[in-house]
Amino acid sequence: MEAVELYRKANKNTESARLLAEIAQKLQEKRAPPLMIKKIYVLAAFEIDSYKQRVFDASMTQITSGGNTADATAKTLNSLITTDINSSADKALSNPWKGAEAIHYYLLCQRQLYQKEYNRAMKTAIRLIEYEKELDTREVYSLIALASYYNKCYKECSKAFVKLERMPNTTKEVREKFESIALALFSRHSPVDAPQVKFPCPKKGCDAQVSEYDTNCQRCGSFYSACIASGQSIVVKEYYTCKTCKHKAMLKELDYLSLKHCPLCHAVVQPQTKS
Ligand SMILES: [Zn+2]
Ligand SMILES: [Zn+2]
Protein backbone atom coordinates (compact mmCIF):
# COMPACT_ATOMS: atom_id res chain seq x y z
CA MET A 1 0.00 0.00 0.00
CA GLU A 2 2.94 2.35 0.62
CA ALA A 3 4.15 1.71 -2.91
CA VAL A 4 0.69 2.61 -4.20
CA GLU A 5 0.87 5.92 -2.34
CA LEU A 6 4.31 6.66 -3.81
CA TYR A 7 3.11 5.95 -7.35
CA ARG A 8 0.08 8.16 -6.76
CA LYS A 9 2.26 11.04 -5.60
CA ALA A 10 4.49 10.61 -8.63
CA ASN A 11 1.39 10.72 -10.86
CA LYS A 12 2.09 7.21 -12.07
CA ASN A 13 -1.57 6.24 -12.16
CA THR A 14 -1.23 3.14 -14.30
CA GLU A 15 1.45 1.75 -11.99
CA SER A 16 -0.61 2.34 -8.87
CA ALA A 17 -3.72 0.94 -10.59
CA ARG A 18 -1.89 -2.24 -11.57
CA LEU A 19 -0.61 -2.64 -8.02
CA LEU A 20 -4.05 -2.04 -6.49
CA ALA A 21 -5.67 -4.55 -8.84
CA GLU A 22 -3.01 -7.09 -7.88
CA ILE A 23 -3.66 -6.53 -4.18
CA ALA A 24 -7.40 -6.90 -4.74
CA GLN A 25 -6.92 -10.15 -6.66
CA LYS A 26 -4.71 -11.61 -3.93
CA LEU A 27 -7.24 -10.65 -1.26
CA GLN A 28 -9.97 -12.28 -3.33
CA GLU A 29 -7.99 -15.52 -3.46
CA LYS A 30 -7.59 -15.33 0.31
CA ARG A 31 -11.34 -14.77 0.66
CA ALA A 32 -10.96 -11.43 2.43
CA PRO A 33 -14.14 -9.42 3.14
CA PRO A 34 -15.63 -8.63 -0.30
CA LEU A 35 -16.51 -5.04 0.58
CA MET A 36 -12.86 -4.25 1.25
CA ILE A 37 -11.84 -5.85 -2.05
CA LYS A 38 -14.48 -3.86 -3.89
CA LYS A 39 -13.11 -0.61 -2.43
CA ILE A 40 -9.60 -1.43 -3.62
CA TYR A 41 -10.89 -2.20 -7.13
CA VAL A 42 -12.74 1.13 -7.11
CA LEU A 43 -9.50 2.93 -6.17
CA ALA A 44 -7.69 1.18 -9.03
CA ALA A 45 -10.40 2.25 -11.46
CA PHE A 46 -10.17 5.85 -10.24
CA GLU A 47 -6.44 5.79 -10.96
CA ILE A 48 -7.03 4.70 -14.55
CA ASP A 49 -9.79 7.25 -15.04
CA SER A 50 -7.58 10.06 -13.76
CA TYR A 51 -4.74 8.84 -15.99
CA LYS A 52 -7.04 8.98 -19.03
CA GLN A 53 -8.22 12.45 -18.01
CA ARG A 54 -4.68 13.73 -17.52
CA VAL A 55 -3.43 12.46 -20.89
CA PHE A 56 -6.55 13.87 -22.48
CA ASP A 57 -6.18 17.33 -20.87
CA ALA A 58 -2.50 17.52 -21.74
CA SER A 59 -3.20 16.74 -25.39
CA MET A 60 -6.17 19.07 -25.58
CA THR A 61 -4.21 22.10 -24.39
CA GLN A 62 -1.93 21.65 -27.39
CA ILE A 63 -4.83 21.91 -29.77
CA THR A 64 -5.84 25.45 -30.57
CA SER A 65 -8.45 25.00 -33.27
CA GLY A 66 -12.00 25.97 -32.33
CA GLY A 67 -15.58 24.78 -32.71
CA ASN A 68 -16.42 21.45 -34.29
CA THR A 69 -12.84 20.63 -35.16
CA ALA A 70 -11.95 20.68 -31.48
CA ASP A 71 -14.89 18.39 -30.72
CA ALA A 72 -13.86 15.95 -33.39
CA THR A 73 -10.27 16.04 -32.19
CA ALA A 74 -11.42 15.42 -28.64
CA LYS A 75 -13.35 12.34 -29.74
CA THR A 76 -10.41 10.98 -31.70
CA LEU A 77 -8.05 11.61 -28.81
CA ASN A 78 -10.33 9.90 -26.35
CA SER A 79 -10.55 6.78 -28.48
CA LEU A 80 -6.79 6.83 -29.07
CA ILE A 81 -6.08 6.93 -25.34
CA THR A 82 -8.50 4.09 -24.77
CA THR A 83 -6.96 2.00 -27.56
CA ASP A 84 -3.55 2.70 -26.11
CA ILE A 85 -4.65 1.34 -22.73
CA ASN A 86 -6.55 -1.57 -24.28
CA SER A 87 -3.53 -2.70 -26.26
CA SER A 88 -1.74 -3.37 -23.02
CA ALA A 89 -2.67 -6.95 -22.20
CA ASP A 90 -3.44 -6.01 -18.62
CA LYS A 91 -7.13 -6.56 -17.97
CA ALA A 92 -7.00 -4.40 -14.85
CA LEU A 93 -6.03 -1.48 -17.08
CA SER A 94 -8.20 -2.12 -20.13
CA ASN A 95 -11.41 -2.51 -18.14
CA PRO A 96 -10.66 -1.02 -14.74
CA TRP A 97 -14.23 -1.15 -13.40
CA LYS A 98 -14.83 -4.82 -14.08
CA GLY A 99 -13.44 -6.08 -10.75
CA ALA A 100 -15.39 -3.57 -8.68
CA GLU A 101 -18.61 -4.24 -10.63
CA ALA A 102 -18.25 -8.01 -10.15
CA ILE A 103 -18.06 -7.77 -6.37
CA HIS A 104 -20.68 -5.03 -6.28
CA TYR A 105 -23.31 -7.18 -8.05
CA TYR A 106 -22.25 -10.25 -6.09
CA LEU A 107 -22.92 -8.47 -2.78
CA LEU A 108 -26.08 -6.86 -4.15
CA CYS A 109 -27.48 -10.25 -5.18
CA GLN A 110 -26.86 -11.71 -1.73
CA ARG A 111 -28.48 -8.72 -0.05
CA GLN A 112 -31.53 -9.04 -2.30
CA LEU A 113 -31.79 -12.74 -1.45
CA TYR A 114 -31.66 -12.01 2.29
CA GLN A 115 -34.31 -9.33 1.85
CA LYS A 116 -36.47 -11.84 -0.02
CA GLU A 117 -36.49 -9.65 -3.14
CA TYR A 118 -36.27 -12.70 -5.35
CA ASN A 119 -37.26 -11.08 -8.63
CA ARG A 120 -34.49 -8.48 -8.27
CA ALA A 121 -32.03 -11.08 -6.97
CA MET A 122 -32.55 -13.25 -10.04
CA LYS A 123 -31.88 -10.34 -12.40
CA THR A 124 -28.69 -9.47 -10.54
CA ALA A 125 -27.62 -13.13 -10.50
CA ILE A 126 -28.07 -13.41 -14.27
CA ARG A 127 -26.03 -10.23 -14.71
CA LEU A 128 -23.19 -11.95 -12.84
CA ILE A 129 -22.66 -14.30 -15.82
CA GLU A 130 -20.68 -11.42 -17.36
CA TYR A 131 -18.30 -11.63 -14.42
CA GLU A 132 -17.49 -15.34 -14.43
CA LYS A 133 -13.80 -14.55 -14.93
CA GLU A 134 -13.69 -12.13 -12.01
CA LEU A 135 -15.71 -14.34 -9.68
CA ASP A 136 -15.94 -18.10 -9.49
CA THR A 137 -18.17 -19.84 -12.05
CA ARG A 138 -19.54 -22.15 -9.38
CA GLU A 139 -20.44 -19.21 -7.16
CA VAL A 140 -22.18 -17.41 -10.02
CA TYR A 141 -24.35 -20.38 -11.03
CA SER A 142 -25.11 -21.30 -7.43
CA LEU A 143 -26.53 -17.80 -6.97
CA ILE A 144 -28.54 -18.14 -10.20
CA ALA A 145 -29.90 -21.51 -9.07
CA LEU A 146 -30.85 -20.14 -5.65
CA ALA A 147 -32.39 -16.88 -6.85
CA SER A 148 -34.35 -18.45 -9.71
CA TYR A 149 -35.61 -21.20 -7.42
CA TYR A 150 -37.05 -18.70 -4.93
CA ASN A 151 -38.32 -16.63 -7.84
CA LYS A 152 -40.19 -19.72 -9.09
CA CYS A 153 -38.32 -19.77 -12.41
CA TYR A 154 -37.63 -23.49 -12.33
CA LYS A 155 -36.50 -23.72 -15.93
CA GLU A 156 -33.73 -21.18 -15.34
CA CYS A 157 -32.95 -22.97 -12.08
CA SER A 158 -32.58 -26.35 -13.78
CA LYS A 159 -30.31 -24.81 -16.43
CA ALA A 160 -28.06 -23.52 -13.65
CA PHE A 161 -27.97 -27.00 -12.10
CA VAL A 162 -26.95 -28.57 -15.42
CA LYS A 163 -24.13 -26.03 -15.64
CA LEU A 164 -23.02 -26.81 -12.08
CA GLU A 165 -23.10 -30.58 -12.63
CA ARG A 166 -21.09 -30.35 -15.86
CA MET A 167 -18.44 -27.93 -14.67
CA PRO A 168 -14.89 -29.14 -15.30
CA ASN A 169 -12.93 -30.10 -12.18
CA THR A 170 -16.10 -31.19 -10.42
CA THR A 171 -15.47 -34.24 -8.30
CA LYS A 172 -17.82 -37.20 -8.53
CA GLU A 173 -18.92 -36.57 -4.96
CA VAL A 174 -19.85 -32.92 -5.59
CA ARG A 175 -21.61 -33.79 -8.83
CA GLU A 176 -23.70 -36.41 -7.10
CA LYS A 177 -24.68 -33.86 -4.47
CA PHE A 178 -25.87 -31.44 -7.16
CA GLU A 179 -27.76 -34.26 -8.86
CA SER A 180 -29.55 -35.31 -5.71
CA ILE A 181 -30.55 -31.72 -4.85
CA ALA A 182 -31.79 -31.25 -8.42
CA LEU A 183 -33.74 -34.49 -8.24
CA ALA A 184 -35.38 -33.43 -4.98
CA LEU A 185 -36.28 -29.99 -6.38
CA PHE A 186 -37.57 -31.00 -9.76
CA SER A 187 -39.63 -33.93 -8.54
CA ARG A 188 -41.75 -31.30 -6.80
CA HIS A 189 -41.58 -28.55 -9.43
CA SER A 190 -41.64 -29.07 -13.16
CA PRO A 191 -38.87 -27.07 -14.87
CA VAL A 192 -41.07 -24.24 -16.12
CA ASP A 193 -40.53 -20.52 -15.51
CA ALA A 194 -43.14 -18.33 -13.83
CA PRO A 195 -44.68 -15.80 -16.25
CA GLN A 196 -42.18 -13.06 -17.13
CA VAL A 197 -42.77 -9.39 -17.77
CA LYS A 198 -42.02 -8.54 -21.39
CA PHE A 199 -41.11 -5.15 -22.76
CA PRO A 200 -40.30 -3.81 -26.22
CA CYS A 201 -36.60 -3.56 -27.04
CA PRO A 202 -35.72 0.15 -26.63
CA LYS A 203 -33.51 0.13 -29.73
CA LYS A 204 -35.02 2.25 -32.49
CA GLY A 205 -36.40 0.13 -35.30
CA CYS A 206 -36.21 -3.14 -33.35
CA ASP A 207 -39.63 -4.70 -32.70
CA ALA A 208 -38.47 -7.55 -30.47
CA GLN A 209 -40.11 -8.25 -27.13
CA VAL A 210 -37.52 -9.00 -24.47
CA SER A 211 -37.93 -10.59 -21.06
CA GLU A 212 -37.29 -8.70 -17.83
CA TYR A 213 -34.32 -11.01 -17.17
CA ASP A 214 -32.57 -10.41 -20.52
CA THR A 215 -29.35 -8.42 -20.54
CA ASN A 216 -29.31 -8.09 -24.32
CA CYS A 217 -31.64 -8.30 -27.31
CA GLN A 218 -31.43 -11.54 -29.30
CA ARG A 219 -32.71 -9.86 -32.45
CA CYS A 220 -30.77 -6.59 -32.77
CA GLY A 221 -27.88 -7.45 -30.47
CA SER A 222 -28.33 -4.37 -28.27
CA PHE A 223 -26.68 -4.68 -24.91
CA TYR A 224 -28.54 -3.27 -21.91
CA SER A 225 -26.49 -1.60 -19.18
CA ALA A 226 -27.11 -2.82 -15.66
CA CYS A 227 -28.61 -0.54 -13.04
CA ILE A 228 -26.01 -0.29 -10.25
CA ALA A 229 -28.78 0.19 -7.69
CA SER A 230 -30.91 -2.84 -8.57
CA GLY A 231 -28.87 -5.04 -10.92
CA GLN A 232 -31.61 -5.08 -13.55
CA SER A 233 -31.26 -4.12 -17.21
CA ILE A 234 -31.95 -0.47 -17.98
CA VAL A 235 -34.58 -0.28 -20.71
CA VAL A 236 -36.12 3.04 -19.68
CA LYS A 237 -35.01 6.59 -20.44
CA GLU A 238 -35.22 7.79 -16.84
CA TYR A 239 -31.84 6.98 -15.39
CA TYR A 240 -29.08 8.71 -13.48
CA THR A 241 -25.43 8.64 -14.50
CA CYS A 242 -22.89 8.95 -11.69
CA LYS A 243 -20.61 11.91 -12.36
CA THR A 244 -17.66 10.11 -10.81
CA CYS A 245 -17.75 6.51 -12.02
CA LYS A 246 -20.07 7.05 -15.04
CA HIS A 247 -22.25 4.06 -14.14
CA LYS A 248 -26.02 4.22 -14.48
CA ALA A 249 -28.89 3.70 -12.10
CA MET A 250 -32.62 3.84 -12.77
CA LEU A 251 -34.22 6.86 -11.11
CA LYS A 252 -37.05 4.81 -9.68
CA GLU A 253 -34.57 2.42 -8.06
CA LEU A 254 -32.56 5.31 -6.56
CA ASP A 255 -35.82 6.62 -5.10
CA TYR A 256 -36.96 3.17 -3.99
CA LEU A 257 -33.76 2.68 -2.00
CA SER A 258 -33.56 6.41 -1.05
CA LEU A 259 -29.92 6.39 -2.12
CA LYS A 260 -27.87 9.50 -1.43
CA HIS A 261 -24.60 7.99 -2.62
CA CYS A 262 -23.60 6.08 -5.72
CA PRO A 263 -23.90 2.40 -4.77
CA LEU A 264 -20.73 1.58 -6.70
CA CYS A 265 -18.22 4.36 -5.98
CA HIS A 266 -19.98 6.16 -3.12
CA ALA A 267 -19.91 9.60 -4.78
CA VAL A 268 -22.77 11.87 -3.71
CA VAL A 269 -25.86 11.57 -5.91
CA GLN A 270 -26.50 15.02 -7.34
CA PRO A 271 -30.23 15.53 -7.81
CA GLN A 272 -29.86 18.41 -10.27
CA THR A 273 -28.13 16.15 -12.76
CA LYS A 274 -31.02 13.70 -12.85
CA SER A 275 -32.35 13.76 -16.37
ZN1 LIG B 1 -33.64 -5.28 -30.11
ZN1 LIG C 1 -20.43 6.20 -8.98
Side-chain angles (χ1 to χ4, degrees):
M1 274 313 205
E2 274 168 32
V4 172
E5 196 50 41
L6 280 177
Y7 279 132
R8 280 181 58 115
K9 281 191 183 135
N11 256 348
K12 294 200 184 247
N13 304 92
T14 50
E15 298 304 322
S16 54
R18 191 176 285 126
L19 215 56
L20 282 164
E22 261 176 45
I23 295 171
Q25 255 157 34
K26 282 203 185 107
L27 286 172
Q28 215 170 338
E29 282 157 24
K30 286 185 191 156
R31 308 210 135 245
L35 196 58
M36 181 168 84
I37 303 171
K38 174 183 152 183
K39 284 176 183 164
I40 298 174
Y41 273 127
V42 169
L43 282 179
F46 278 158
E47 289 296 303
I48 294 297
D49 283 354
S50 75
Y51 167 75
K52 280 191 199 165
Q53 192 61 46
R54 207 154 39 81
V55 176
F56 182 80
D57 290 345
S59 322
M60 276 310 277
T61 48
Q62 291 168 6
I63 298 160
T64 45
S65 53
N68 289 333
T69 331
D71 276 353
T73 322
K75 275 202 186 110
T76 321
L77 255 179
N78 213 346
S79 72
L80 276 178
I81 296 167
T82 313
T83 338
D84 184 35
I85 293 178
N86 284 350
S87 60
S88 70
D90 223 322
K91 83 171 177 191
L93 300 188
S94 59
N95 199 347
W97 284 100
K98 198 96 198 220
E101 289 164 8
I103 298 185
H104 172 71
Y105 292 122
Y106 175 73
L107 290 172
L108 179 64
C109 183
Q110 294 198 339
R111 192 162 65 235
Q112 289 164 329
L113 279 172
Y114 280 117
Q115 292 170 342
K116 299 192 166 57
E117 297 200 314
Y118 301 130
N119 177 280
R120 282 187 165 82
M122 183 172 148
K123 289 171 185 167
T124 311
I126 288 175
R127 182 60 70 166
L128 283 174
I129 295 176
E130 288 163 30
Y131 301 95
E132 261 183 73
K133 279 203 194 79
E134 285 71 24
L135 302 165
D136 178 54
T137 307
R138 183 169 294 149
E139 235 152 348
V140 170
Y141 282 91
S142 302
L143 275 174
I144 295 175
L146 201 61
S148 50
Y149 174 76
Y150 282 116
N151 197 34
K152 299 188 171 61
C153 286
Y154 302 118
K155 187 177 162 196
E156 195 63 45
C157 180
S158 81
K159 269 163 53 189
F161 266 101
V162 170
K163 181 91 183 178
L164 287 166
E165 285 162 20
R166 291 185 187 165
M167 259 182 56
N169 309 325
T170 304
T171 61
K172 190 166 171 270
E173 200 191 344
V174 172
R175 194 173 54 242
E176 282 172 358
K177 264 190 192 141
F178 280 133
E179 281 168 358
S180 74
I181 300 171
L183 195 68
L185 291 182
F186 300 114
S187 58
R188 276 184 287 145
H189 307 282
S190 46
V192 184
D193 284 344
Q196 303 176 354
V197 179
K198 300 268 181 179
F199 52 83
C201 173
K203 167 100 178 171
K204 216 175 158 193
C206 178
D207 56 1
Q209 290 281 317
V210 288
S211 137
E212 56 184 319
Y213 304 110
D214 287 340
T215 55
N216 62 307
C217 173
Q218 301 276 356
R219 189 167 306 167
C220 71
S222 295
F223 174 81
Y224 310 134
S225 310
C227 164
I228 43 169
S230 68
Q232 61 189 295
S233 296
I234 301 182
V235 287
V236 292
K237 289 201 173 65
E238 299 77 27
Y239 59 80
Y240 172 79
T241 306
C242 173
K243 280 270 181 288
T244 309
C245 71
K246 311 283 187 287
H247 285 70
K248 296 169 188 161
M250 284 155 71
L251 289 187
K252 81 175 169 43
E253 294 297 329
L254 281 183
D255 288 344
Y256 171 73
L257 298 163
S258 340
L259 290 175
K260 301 280 179 283
H261 293 92
C262 169
L264 182 65
C265 76
H266 218 253
V268 175
V269 171
Q270 294 162 315
Q272 71 274 16
T273 54
K274 283 183 182 180
S275 59

